[in-house]
Structure formats: structure tokens, C-alpha cells
Amino acid sequence: MRKIQTQGVHHITLIGADRQTSIDFWEGVLGMPFVFDQPNLDDPGQGHLYFDPGDGRLITIFTSEDRKPDATPVPEATGSLHHLALNVSQATFWQVARRLDARGVKHSGPVDRGFMDSIYFRDPLGLRIELASYRFEPPEGCRHADVMIEAHRIRVSRGDTHIEREHLADAIEHLVERRQSSLSADRGARNPY
């Protein structure tokens, strides 16, 4: 038996309401360019809209003019989607609450997750959306996941309950020491003052 190795999320498809609600939310609120439009090939009576969330991947929406927006929260049952998390920069993150307030959208306000900042709200169809912003940039040649696993190891070794900024800083330092060469025999901290 062998694994089936994935290489990232290809796309996410959601059941939407009417076409304009999808365009107004995904492009008009979240700024995702509307990049492709065709019928749903499994049900030609529905539309299939494609949006770019900013990383070249796709979020697609099945639409039907027969479905109207219903803001009732999506059920939280086994097998259901709890929330969809989207990445935003720190510069954007600190504007989100005010921009949602301007639309009259209820939200959680900023939530401290230790390694990232989050804010939660619901789309016009009741789906919980999280806008998340990492508090760090990974070193050159590393991914966010590389920093997270290293920070997790540091956190566990110290007996801490969750990842904090210090774990991230130490993780980045460890990754740089392992991945980047130096002519110095001793790369330890020094005080030249």
C-alpha cells in the first residue's frame, strides 16, 4: 500500500446562491478577481464562477438564480466545513474590522492566535470566514509550515501550551542556522558593545 502525495489545495468549490451575490462577496468584499465563468458541467442549469484568492489557486462557486441568499449559519456537524481561512497581510488585517463595520457586518474583532492574528465573520450565506495573518515571514527558502513545525517543537520542549512570538523567533533562528552557511566557526550570540 502506498500514499497518494498531495502538493497543495487545487481548488475549493462552494454552493452559492445567485450569481451576483457571489460576485459581490468574493470580488466586491474580499477583492478576489473573478477569473473564469462557465456552466457547471455536472448540472448545466447552474453557473460555475471562479475566483483567485491571491495565490493563483481557485475558489469556485456553483450558482443558481433559483437560490437566494440565506444568512443562517452553516451547520457545525461532523463532516461539515467549520470555516474557510484566507490569508491577508498584516497591513490589511488591521483594516478588516473597520471595513466590515462600514458594511454593517458582525465580526469577532481581532483574535490573538499566538503565531497569527485572526478575525471571523460570516459570508452572506452563513459560511464562517476567517481572515488570518501570520505574525512572521519565513526565512528565504522556507515555508510557513517549516517555521510552524520548528516552533511547535520548541514550544513542546519548553512545556508551553501554544506557540507564541518567542517560539517563532527562535524557530526562524534555528532554520537559518541549519539552512544557511556561514564562515564563522561559532555562530552564537555575542555582545560587541
Side-chain angles (χ1 to χ4, degrees), residues 45-103:
Q46 294 186 54
H48 196 177
L49 311 183
Y50 292 68
F51 298 89
D52 178 353
D55 61 1
R57 308 286 184 195
L58 297 169
I59 291 182
T60 76
I61 315 294
F62 289 147
T63 63
S64 173
E65 297 309 304
D66 297 337
R67 294 193 295 258
K68 298 302 169 203
D70 178 359
T72 303
V74 172
E76 293 182 15
T78 302
S80 297
L81 177 68
H82 184 269
H83 68 274
L84 177 62
L86 302 166
N87 186 44
V88 295
S89 72
Q90 280 283 297
T92 298
F93 180 82
W94 295 106
Q95 305 299 310
V96 171
R98 188 171 70 242
R99 293 177 186 192
L100 291 173
D101 289 344
R103 290 175 169 84

Side-chain angles (χ1 to χ4, degrees), residues 22-35 50-55 59 86-88 92 99 103 121 131:
S22 294
I23 295 168
D24 290 350
F25 178 73
W26 296 100
E27 187 172 48
V29 174
L30 296 181
M32 295 182 189
F34 177 28
V35 297
Y50 292 68
F51 298 89
D52 178 353
D55 61 1
I59 291 182
L86 302 166
N87 186 44
V88 295
T92 298
R99 293 177 186 192
R103 290 175 169 84
F121 64 100
L131 297 181

Side-chain angles (χ1 to χ4, degrees), residues 138-143 146 179-180:
E140 186 67 32
C142 295
R143 300 169 307 133
D146 298 325
R179 295 174 147 255
Q180 296 176 337

